[in-house]
Amino acid sequence: MRLWLVCTCLCLSSLEYKQKMHPQTGIVLTTGYRLSFVCSVLRSAPPCSKFFSVKHTADVQYSINPPRSEADHLSPIPLNDDTVLLFSMKKASEEENDNKLSVRYYGTDKKMLGTAVLHLTAVEISLDVDADRDGIVEKNNPNKGCWKWGPDGHGAIILVNCDSERRWRKLDHEQDFIDRESDLKDMTTMVLRTKGPAKLPEGYKLTMHISQGDAESIRVYTSADGHRYPLILQSACLSAEVLYRRGFAENKFYVEGIRFPDKDFDGLVTINLSLLEPIGPGIPETPIFTDKVVLRIAPWIMTPNTLTPKEVFVCSTTDNYTFLKEIRSFVAKSGHNLKICHEYMNRGDHRGLVDFPYEKLLGPDFGYVTKKAQKEDVNSLDSFGNLEVSPPVTVNGKKYPLGRIIIGVAFPTAAQGRNMTQVIQDFLWAQKVQEPIALFSDWLCIGHVDEFMTFVPAPDKNGFRLLLASPDAGYKLFKSLSKQGHGNATLFDGSINTHSQLYLSQKGLQDHNNYVQSCIDWNRDVLKRELGLDEGDIIDLPILFKLVKEDEEVRALAYYPDVVNMLVLGKNLGIPKPFGPKVNGRCAIEAEVCSLLEPLGLSCTFIDNFASYHQLLGEVHCGSNVRREPFDFKWWNMEM
Amino acid sequence: MRLWLVCTCLCLSSLEYKQKMHPQTGIVLTTGYRLSFVCSVLRSAPPCSKFFSVKHTADVQYSINPPRSEADHLSPIPLNDDTVLLFSMKKASEEENDNKLSVRYYGTDKKMLGTAVLHLTAVEISLDVDADRDGIVEKNNPNKGCWKWGPDGHGAIILVNCDSERRWRKLDHEQDFIDRESDLKDMTTMVLRTKGPAKLPEGYKLTMHISQGDAESIRVYTSADGHRYPLILQSACLSAEVLYRRGFAENKFYVEGIRFPDKDFDGLVTINLSLLEPIGPGIPETPIFTDKVVLRIAPWIMTPNTLTPKEVFVCSTTDNYTFLKEIRSFVAKSGHNLKICHEYMNRGDHRGLVDFPYEKLLGPDFGYVTKKAQKEDVNSLDSFGNLEVSPPVTVNGKKYPLGRIIIGVAFPTAAQGRNMTQVIQDFLWAQKVQEPIALFSDWLCIGHVDEFMTFVPAPDKNGFRLLLASPDAGYKLFKSLSKQGHGNATLFDGSINTHSQLYLSQKGLQDHNNYVQSCIDWNRDVLKRELGLDEGDIIDLPILFKLVKEDEEVRALAYYPDVVNMLVLGKNLGIPKPFGPKVNGRCAIEAEVCSLLEPLGLSCTFIDNFASYHQLLGEVHCGSNVRREPFDFKWWNMEM
C-alpha cells in the first residue's frame, strides 16, 4: 500500500490530479504546473479511508470542495465520493521541492491509515510584450493574449522590417540573421520573465513556438550574449527550446515582421511559450502550461497631400531642362529639399525608374514593398498616379483619421475595362486603416485618378478641399471670355494656333466634354458619399478634355495642361502651366485657378511641363514624387 | 443667343447642371436622371441677366439655393454668382417629356431677356431583393445596398446551388442553364421594378452588372417568358442590357450561388443596375444612375449531436454482420431510419466510400462541397471523425447559437506534426457562423477528436454534456474493482486473456495513460475556455489507452473499445461494447458508463464493434453517419 502513501518529488501519479484552467492568469506553476490543482482526495486514499486532514508548508494554500466550514479543517474531515482538494502556491520556489503538502487518511475510528505527500516546486513564467503600447514591455499584461483596436485597445505591434540598415539593394528581412544592432530597433522586443529555483526539475523544459501560417509573417531572434542574436523561430523551425535561468530572469527576444497584411493574412500573429513535462522514456512530453502573446503587423500607410513634405523627387532627362529649372525654384521657394534622379538612373524617366528606389531610396528607416501581378494583366492603371489618399475624414460618424486610399478602376458596365491588378487591390484593402475607395478612371487614356482630382490643404471645414477637373467650369470660363470680347485670344502662347473662341464652336468637343463631365460627376458623387463631403468641400478647376480612339476604345486626354495634376507642398502648389488665352497679358486659366485657390491661403506657381510631360500624357504630379512626414495619429488607435 | 434660351427635350447641355447625389433614395429619374438636379441658374443665363423666375408643370418641384423667402418666388428673384436651382419630379412620367420647367431671365430693369426650358421625363427604377428576410421581395428597401448580421440586421441571402434536381452525379451549379423550374427554388429571386413612359428616351438603356470577383461566386438568370430562364451574368459576361417595359413593370431575375465563403471570399456579392445615357455617336455611354443590392452567400453549417436525427448511414461489409444486426436494432429502437451502403458501393468501407455520396445522397435539396488539398499533404487528420461541432453555447456573453466547429491538429511544439490540410481549415474558418476550435489530436494514431470526446443531450445546464475519454477514470474504476476483490475478472469476454488487475501492475501502461491524460487535459482546458464550460458540464468516461510506435512517432490507441466514440440519436446512445471485466455477470465498464449517463435520461445500448471496427482502429461513431434536422435558428440572425 505504500505505493500511494508517499509521493516524493515529481512522481505525482499516485496522487491523482486534474489541472485547473487559468489561461489568463496562470503564471505560477507548482512542480511545473500552473498555480492551482484540483486533486481528488478520494482517489489517492487507502482503502477504508473515511476521514482526511491536510498539512502544508508556509507557501502553500488550499481549499476543499465542496466547501467545509473553517472549524472542520482542524480535525479530520469526512471523505466523500466528490471530495476535491484545490491547492496552489503563493510564490515561486527558491529551491526545487521547497514546499510540501500532505494528506493524512483515517478510518472509521479516526485511526490514521496512511499519508500522501506532495513535494512542490513553483515557477513563475510570463511571456511579455508591450501590450499597452507605451514603449515598455510590462509584466504579464492581462490583455497580452488578444488584440483590440482603438484608444481603449491593447495588443503589441510589429513592423515589417523592409528597410535596409546597409544601403544595399537588399531588405533587412531578406536575410535571416542580424548583423547590426540598429536593426533591433525595427523589431518588437519580447521578454520571457521566469522566477524559480536554480534549474527546472529534471526533464522539464521551456519551448517557444509559432504556427506554420504565422511563420510566413514573422521570425523570432533571441539574444545570446548581448551581441549575438541567433534566429530561433522561422518557417523551417516552428518550435525551439529556450533557456531557463536561475532566480528572476528576463530573456529578451526580437520579433521581426516579414510581410504586410494581405488578402490571406489579417496581420495578427501569436507566439506561444510552453512548459513541457516529461512522462517517461519514449513517451512524448506534454505541454502543462502555455502562455501566449498576440501581436499585429503594422499596415502599409499612405501620406496625403495635407502632410508636411520632407523631400521632393524629380527626374532629370534630356528634354526637361525648363521643367527642372522651374521645379527647382518652386521647391526651393517652398523651403523643401529636391532630390534629382539623374538620367543614367532613370533611363529617360517615365518607365525606366525601376532601379531608383533600390539604389537611392532604400536605407535605414526607408523600406519598400512590392507585389507581383499573378497574370500578365498589368496596365496603365497599375501606375501610382492611380493610387492616391485623402486627408483624414469623418463619414456619417465613422472616423478615418488616416484618410482613405483612392484608386481608379473600370466601370463594370464596360465589357473589357482596365483595372488595377487584383493583387495590388487585395493588398490595399488588407491594410484596413485607410479603407480604399474605387473610382471610375478607365475613361481616361492613361486612366489615373490624379488626372481629375487632388486634395489641397485649407484653413477651414475639413482642413482640405477636393479639387476636381471640370469641363463645365472650362466652358463657363471660355464663354465668359467670349462674352467679354476675348474670344480671339490665343492659347498655348501662340505656339499652337488655337483661339479660345474655337472651343465654343466645336460641337464635337462639347460632346466629348459632356461625356467627361458625366464621368467626373459620377466620381464626384462617389467621393462625396465615401468621404462625407458636401459641395462646399469641392472646387471645380476649368479643364477641357478631348476624346481619342485607341484600341477600339474611346478615351479622354486633357486638352491643355491639366491644372489639377499639381504638386502640393504645404500651401505652395506647383501647377502645370495651362498656356490659356492671354487677357491683358495674363493667362485667363491661371487667373481663374488663382482666384479659386488663393482665398484658401494657397500660393500658385505655374510650371511649364508642356513639352516635357504634357505632350507625353503626364503633368507635374505625374513627373514628381513627395516623401512626407508620417501621421502623428497612431494607426492602432483607429476604431474599427 | 437662342442657343441657350430654349432647351428642348433631352438636349440639356445648354442648361448646365450638376447631378445631386441621393444614393439611398434616388429612384425617380427626371429625363433619365435621378429625381433631383442642381442647376446653376447663372450659367444658363443670357448676358446682363440680373433677375430670374421659375415656372413648371404640376409634377415638378424645385427649390432655390441659397434659400429665399417664399414671397420672393412670385416676383423676379435677384440672380447672384452662386444661385442654384434644385428641382425634382414628384412621380414617374406617363409619357416622354410630359413635364416642363422653365426659367425666365430679366435685365436690370426687370425686362425679360429670354427663357430656358427643360422638358422632363421621370422614370422610377428599383432593383429589389428580400433585404428584410421575410420571404417577400419588397420594393426599394433602404437597406438593400448593405448587409448586416443579427436580429436587427438586413440584407438578402443566396444559397450555393450544390444539390441536384436530377439525381445525377452533377451539381446544379456545374451547369450554366436552368432546365427544371424546381431549381429556381434554390436561387434568390431579384426583381427589377420600373415605372415610366412607354419607352425610355432614345439611346438610354438599362444594364445589370457584377464585378469579375463576384462572378466567381454567383450567376444571374432572367425570366424570358415564364418558361425559359436565360443566363445573363456570369464570369464570361459581366454586364448585360435588361429590358425596360412600359408602365409599371416587374422583371424577375434569379441569383445562383456557385461557391461557399472561403479564405479569399467573405461571402458578400453586389449586383448593380445602371441607367446609361448616350452622349453622342462614337462616345461611350455614361451611367447616370446606379442602384445596387448586396447579398450574402449562405455558409456551410454542421449539425451537432443535439439535433434530431433523420437518417443513419452505415456500411455493410463482409465482416460486420454482428455490428450491422445490432446497429439495425438500435436505430429501429430509436425510431429512426437506417440506410445501408452495400458492399458493391463501399468497396469494403473504411476508405472506399468515395462514390456513395454522389450516387446515393446527392439529389434535390441534398448537395455537397469538396475542397482539393493544394499539396500532397492529406493525412488521417483530414477524415471527418476529426471534424465535429458543439451544441449551441454562450462564451463570456458571446453567443454561438449554431455551436462551434471542432477539429484536431498537431500541437505546434511537435516539429513535424500532422494537421488537417490547410484548404479545409481555411474553408471551415471562412464560414464564420460556427467559429472553429482547434484541439490537439495528433497524439492519437488515427488523430481524430472523436476518439476522446463527444457531446450528448442533457435536460439541464447548457442542454448537453461534453463526454471525455479519461484514463484517470479508467484507473479509478479498475482500482475500485480490485479493491472490491474483482481484480481477476477477465476482459474481452475471456477471448483475450486479460485480467483487470493487470492494468494496475503495468508501470509502462500507467505511464502511457498519464501521457494520454495530459493530452486530454490540455484539450479539456481549451474546450472549457472556448465553449464556456465548467467541470459540471463534463463527464469523464473510463477509457484506457496504449502507446504504439509508428514512423518514429509514439501515438495512442484505445486499449479496449473506446466508449466515447458513440452514435448519438436523441436520448439513445449506441456505444461501442467495451468488453470490460464481468462483475456479477455484468460488464463493469458498461455499468460505470450507464451510471454516469442514465441520470441524464439517456439510454445506453452497447454495440459489438470489436472485430469489425475496433481492431481496425475505429468504433461505432467512425463506422456510421447521421443526417440531422437543420437548426431552427437562422444563421443570418447571429450577432457577429
Side-chain angles (χ1 to χ4, degrees), chain B residues 26-97:
Chain B
I27 55 148
V28 181
L29 312 172
T30 49
T31 50
Y33 295 86
R34 247 158 296 169
L35 181 63
S36 301
F37 282 91
V38 180
C39 158
S40 164
V41 181
L42 185 70
R43 282 196 230 163
S44 57
C48 310
S49 299
K50 298 292 176 195
F51 297 91
F52 72 101
S53 65
V54 180
K55 274 183 68 179
H56 58 80
T57 49
D59 295 338
V60 177
Q61 50 198 9
Y62 77 98
S63 65
I64 293 167
N65 216 358
R68 318 291 165 106
S69 74
E70 195 58 38
D72 279 342
H73 285 227
L74 303 173
S75 55
I77 303 158
L79 182 58
N80 304 324
D81 269 14
D82 59 350
T83 303
V84 157
L85 191 64
L86 207 151
F87 61 93
S88 59
M89 272 182 63
K90 294 174 194 163
K91 61 185 189 72
S93 295
E94 288 173 16
E95 288 171 41
E96 204 175 321
N97 297 326

Side-chain angles (χ1 to χ4, degrees), chain A residues 45 119 126 136 170 292 348 359 381 448 478 566 614:
Chain A
H119 293 264
S126 172
I136 296 160
K170 201 170 183 178
K292 71 170 184 180
E359 305 213 349
L381 273 66
H448 292 180
F478 285 108
M566 62 180 65
H614 175 69

Side-chain angles (χ1 to χ4, degrees), chain A residues 6-80:
Chain A
V6 180
C7 155
T8 59
C9 188
L10 288 163
C11 172
L12 296 181
S13 53
S14 61
L15 221 187
E16 294 161 30
Y17 61 86
K18 299 225 173 307
Q19 280 177 245
K20 198 181 167 223
M21 191 61 196
H22 279 286
Q24 297 301 327
T25 58
I27 56 150
V28 182
L29 312 172
T30 49
T31 50
Y33 294 86
R34 248 158 296 171
L35 183 63
S36 302
F37 282 90
V38 181
C39 158
S40 163
V41 182
L42 185 69
R43 283 196 229 163
S44 58
C48 310
S49 299
K50 297 292 175 195
F51 297 91
F52 73 101
S53 65
V54 180
K55 274 182 70 178
H56 58 82
T57 49
D59 295 339
V60 177
Q61 51 197 11
Y62 77 97
S63 64
I64 293 168
N65 216 1
R68 318 292 165 103
S69 74
E70 196 58 38
D72 280 344
H73 285 226
L74 303 172
S75 56
I77 304 157
L79 183 59
N80 304 325

